[in-house]
Amino acid sequence: MLPLLVLCLCGPAQLIAKQTPLSTARRTVSISGNGGQMFREEGVWNYSTMLLREDLGVVILGAREAIFALDLSNISQKKDMIKWQVTREMQDKCSHKGKSSEIECQNYIRILHKMADGRMYVCGTNAFSPTCDYLSYTDGRLTLENKREDGKGKCPFDPFQRHTSELVDGVLFSATSINFLGSEPVVMRSSTETIRTDFKTSWLNEPNFIGMEHIAEGEQSPEGDDDKIYLFFSETAVEYDSYSKLEVSRVARVCKSDMGGQRTLQRKWTSFVKARLDCPVDDSSLPFLIQDVFRFCPGDWKTCVFYAVFTPQAYTSQSSAVCAYSIADIRQVISEGKFKTPVPVETSFVKWVMYSGDVPFPRPGACINNEARDKGFSQSLDLPDKTLQFIRDRPLMDQAVQPISEHPLLIKQGAAFTRIVVASTVALDGSTYQVMFIGTENGSVLKVVNYNGHTVIIEEVQMFQPTEPVKTLRLSNRTLYAGSEVAAAQMPLSSCGQYRSCLDCVLARDPYCGWNLPTKLCTAVSSVYQDPHSDVIQSLTDGDSTNCPPIESSKAVNLSFLPGNTVKLLCRPGSNLARVEWQVDSRSVISSDAYQINQDGLLILNASAEASGFYTCRSVESSNSQDYVTGIASYELRLASGQACQSEDATVLLPQAQTTQNTVVALQIMVVLLSIMLAALVIWNFYKGHFSILGRRCTQEQEAEGGQESVRTLELLRPADGKIQREGSTSNSNNNHNRRSEGKNTAQQIT
Ligand SMILES: *[C@@H]1O[C@H](CO)[C@@H](O)[C@H](O)[C@H]1NC(C)=O
Ligand SMILES: *[C@@H]1O[C@H](CO)[C@@H](O)[C@H](O)[C@H]1NC(C)=O
Ligand SMILES: *[C@@H]1O[C@H](CO)[C@@H](O)[C@H](O)[C@H]1NC(C)=O
Ligand SMILES: *[C@@H]1O[C@H](CO)[C@@H](O)[C@H](O)[C@H]1NC(C)=O
Ligand SMILES: *[C@@H]1O[C@H](CO)[C@@H](O)[C@H](O)[C@H]1NC(C)=O
Ligand SMILES: *[C@@H]1O[C@H](CO)[C@@H](O)[C@H](O)[C@H]1NC(C)=O
């Protein structure tokens, strides 16, 4: 028991292994490591509205006071840009009303929709005076038509307020605030017959609008039913008698061709019906709130599933969740369920309870269908007052919509989820998998797949600097695009090449990737799928890599050290789920005063002659109740003999002599030799502004008396091509510029 205890205290690697694997990303990568591209323009911010125009080969990006056309295949390449700035006059008017002229009184592009004629409909907040216009992209040029339509009720006044909209057959459906104060929410259809919500708290109560989706269910409906617009939002609940404001998530629905009522609900929706949307997370007493939704329809509308991300409403927990809802479940609650009704209790207090009286015909909130037409109701204007009054006063369903299989697909601690998109791909076995890409508050994107109820986080890609939330995600069939306040970025949906060994490739359980035995490469499955005889290994549901060829052990790196040195032996497993085990001369290394086992390697402190030996680092990853062991690195560590400088140079040169032949996980070797009392001289050197290359410094050291400090940092990274590259230090101590540049100098010296 005791050694175990000691191990657990020793470093992050052990802590990570102890977490439940399902809520930890298997690997963490940077966007550049994942083949990504970035776009940002000097002086422009808030890149949070994005429209993919695959037909034109561009990404249209709406920012603050500017719209960009970027190359769809390489977002870092700007094709064109136009400014849409607020006028001085508008800005003054806005700031006189108490808004900050530098921040709020600007034009934030908030709506971008493709129209049937190929143009785009674009709206901006325009210094708290929302305005819409028409945009086109032809011959590499963006053009704004300067039509300047009123955008009230379509686009928010306030750039910080959430809103949503959808253009359906040339008609804009929108959910936003319609007044300057942002206090009057509206769900609106802007056409010659403008229809909107009633301004009642039972309809919308301080809502936060999240998403809107058109479901073309009228197309071939045997019941002659209408298309629906589904709206997702959160709002203050009216139905709970709690002392504090309780918020809940909602799904609401309106019929596309709703014309409003004749006397009751004139120019108002006759079909606005909503239900609570639950995403039950066990340890939370307060409901989680919806933050984003994505419609995924593998076939006709009946197959549609809404994927949504949820976060806690009070800072009671740090977890986020993903829940998925089938259209059939939502439809059942709204079209067949019981209504809630308000009943006055005591003084002015109202309680909402299940309505169990008679429901009039046609059913309140239903679209006009064949049955209604047969009875003489051919449009909503024909609906009887009884039906209209009923739905006006009772727009809320009694039952809540539950997620598919009644629980979240994923619950994860850490940075809050902000956005979600879902792609689907055909794996080697011919089955189709949904791959979720989830944006976080921390600027990363998680790639997640659910295999028979087991959710696997394949990777976490850092798209933006940590602290810069992902504000938009868009998907094309190969690429993921993301927007934030500071930049836009793209990355491929998969980059199989980053998996260097069969074990790594197969244990990743990435449905896009498989290990190609003949070529010894992790390759995209789509390219081999056509060839049934290809020798490709993929094991998605089991993560079983027993069919991988045995691993050739890697050659040891020879190192020498001086007594008193701190030696760092680098070992980074390719997987966050792996546990790292160190051995010296076949004995286990246990954390102690002399050894410190870190996430990225082993630190030997104040090395003495006894530290010499043969060190090996293995990663052990459990999958399918089996442990897969990979040797990552081995080192032959010896006490330096003769001149320290020469032996240290030899240390540098040795890894270069090795050529690539192992198939082991990308072997990264970093050697850090620090003398014990490093800080003082580093800082002294720094202030002196004098950095010397290794050879010269070495001489200085030789001359220096005992007690003088010196620093030696050698960082070697060996990729598969066998060449030596160097990276900035990522070691645990207080890194600084000084040491970095020294590492570079050393590199130049040897190559
Ligand atoms: C725009 O971006 C800036 C810079 O990141 C940020 O401070 C600001 O909050 C953003 N504005 C809005 C409306 O999101
Ligand atoms: C994308 O464009 C940038 C320059 O704008 C270039 O450096 C980069 O290599 C390009 N990437 C690809 C994959 O074409
Ligand atoms: C966000 O990222 C930073 C740097 O990667 C990390 O230190 C921090 O813990 C992350 N925050 C959360 C909530 O995960
Ligand atoms: C991606 O979509 C484009 C058109 O949108 C199509 O030409 C291309 O073949 C698709 N690629 C794949 C891999 O499906
Ligand atoms: C390391 O040193 C040993 C002898 O101690 C030698 O046999 C081996 O080839 C050296 N390794 C490399 C990579 O040079
Ligand atoms: C380092 O080890 C030597 C001998 O092993 C010892 O005399 C010295 O005090 C140690 N230094 C530190 C800082 O622990």
Side-chain angles (χ1 to χ4, degrees), residues 20-40:
T20 112
L22 296 185
S23 58
T24 304
R26 183 174 179 273
R27 60 191 288 139
T28 315
V29 275
S30 69
I31 178 167
S32 52
N34 216 30
Q37 301 288 335
M38 285 282 256
F39 171 79
R40 68 158 62 91

Side-chain angles (χ1 to χ4, degrees), residues 292-323:
D292 194 32
V293 64
F294 184 82
R295 184 193 64 182
F296 180 80
C297 306
D300 70 1
W301 70 269
K302 289 197 178 95
T303 65
C304 291
V305 171
F306 296 104
Y307 286 83
V309 289
F310 289 80
T311 56
Q313 63 180 287
Y315 295 100
T316 47
S317 97
Q318 275 226 322
S319 38
S320 303
V322 176
C323 278

Side-chain angles (χ1 to χ4, degrees), residues 45-46 64 103 108 110 159-160 468 471 485-486:
W45 288 273
N46 312 95
R64 183 163 85 187
I103 296 176
Y108 292 85
R110 281 292 178 260
F160 290 100
E468 212 36 74
K471 286 289 172 82
E485 305 297 6
V486 297

Side-chain angles (χ1 to χ4, degrees), residues 620-637:
V620 184
E621 185 164 359
S622 299
S623 174
N624 194 26
S625 49
Q626 191 167 344
D627 279 353
Y628 293 98
V629 180
T630 316
I632 298 181
S634 42
Y635 300 90
E636 174 87 60
L637 194 62

Side-chain angles (χ1 to χ4, degrees), residues 44-49 61-68 107-110:
V44 181
W45 288 273
N46 312 95
Y47 304 91
S48 46
T49 309
L61 184 63
R64 183 163 85 187
E65 312 250 300
I67 304 167
F68 299 90
N107 190 21
Y108 292 85
I109 306 303
R110 281 292 178 260

Side-chain angles (χ1 to χ4, degrees), residues 188 383 559:
M188 195 166 95
L383 289 171
L559 287 180

Side-chain angles (χ1 to χ4, degrees), residues 563-565 605-610 676-677:
N565 278 160
L605 305 162
N606 190 15
S608 61
E610 289 87 71
I676 312 155
M677 301 157 284

Side-chain angles (χ1 to χ4, degrees), residues 347-633:
T347 53
S348 60
F349 195 66
V350 170
K351 207 175 162 65
W352 286 74
V353 298
M354 188 177 86
Y355 177 83
S356 45
D358 289 338
V359 174
F361 180 86
R363 181 180 161 95
C367 303
I368 303 293
N369 58 13
N370 289 342
E371 195 189 356
R373 281 187 203 97
D374 288 348
K375 299 270 163 57
F377 308 107
S378 59
Q379 51 180 339
S380 66
L381 290 165
D382 303 332
L383 289 171
D385 276 344
K386 247 170 59 184
T387 292
L388 297 179
Q389 282 157 4
F390 187 101
I391 199 65
R392 183 193 61 199
D393 299 333
R394 300 175 190 85
L396 177 62
M397 301 313 299
D398 184 57
Q399 204 190 332
V401 176
Q402 296 300 324
I404 294 169
S405 68
E406 313 259 304
H407 57 77
L409 285 175
L410 171 69
I411 301 173
K412 189 180 183 297
Q413 297 278 322
F417 295 172
T418 56
R419 295 292 184 270
I420 185 168
V421 292
V422 181
S424 94
T425 187
V426 178
L428 203 58
D429 62 3
S431 42
T432 303
Y433 292 97
Q434 273 82 60
V435 185
M436 296 175 255
F437 292 91
I438 302 165
T440 73
E441 202 69 50
N442 222 3
S444 62
V445 169
L446 304 169
K447 180 175 176 179
V448 180
V449 189
N450 185 284
Y451 295 117
N452 302 337
H454 292 282
T455 300
V456 176
I457 306 177
I458 296 168
E459 64 187 6
E460 176 162 21
V461 184
Q462 194 68 41
M463 302 288 273
F464 306 110
Q465 62 197 59
T467 67
E468 212 36 74
V470 173
K471 286 289 172 82
T472 319
L473 285 180
R474 292 284 181 269
L475 204 56
S476 75
N477 52 11
R478 282 184 189 165
T479 310
L480 179 75
Y481 301 88
S484 73
E485 305 297 6
V486 297
Q490 76 175 83
M491 70 167 202
L493 299 187
S494 67
S495 44
C496 304
Q498 64 177 327
Y499 302 111
R500 301 292 179 83
S501 69
C502 179
L503 210 60
D504 198 22
C505 180
V506 176
L507 293 183
R509 297 165 76 178
D510 186 328
Y512 292 97
C513 305
W515 184 258
N516 191 317
L517 286 167
T519 65
K520 294 187 179 170
L521 291 172
C522 194
T523 49
V525 164
S526 56
S527 63
V528 293
Y529 184 56
Q530 320 302 336
D531 175 11
H533 304 295
S534 69
D535 254 337
V536 176
I537 304 177
Q538 193 181 52
S539 174
L540 299 178
T541 46
D542 299 331
D544 178 353
S545 58
T546 40
N547 289 332
C548 278
I551 292 157
E552 305 159 33
S553 60
S554 58
K555 267 202 175 170
V557 172
N558 289 348
L559 287 180
S560 35
F561 65 97
L562 292 171
N565 278 160
T566 295
V567 180
K568 182 159 189 181
L569 304 178
L570 193 78
C571 173
R572 280 199 200 110
S575 165
N576 295 332
L577 306 182
R579 173 172 92 239
V580 168
E581 290 179 356
W582 279 95
Q583 290 192 328
V584 53
D585 298 332
S586 306
R587 284 173 285 116
S588 289
V589 174
I590 290 170
S591 266
S592 63
D593 289 346
Y595 293 115
Q596 200 176 312
I597 301 173
N598 290 329
Q599 200 166 13
D600 58 348
L602 175 70
L603 215 54
I604 306 170
L605 305 162
N606 190 15
S608 61
E610 289 87 71
S612 305
F614 188 74
Y615 288 80
T616 55
C617 166
R618 310 187 308 166
S619 97
V620 184
E621 185 164 359
S622 299
S623 174
N624 194 26
S625 49
Q626 191 167 344
D627 279 353
Y628 293 98
V629 180
T630 316
I632 298 181

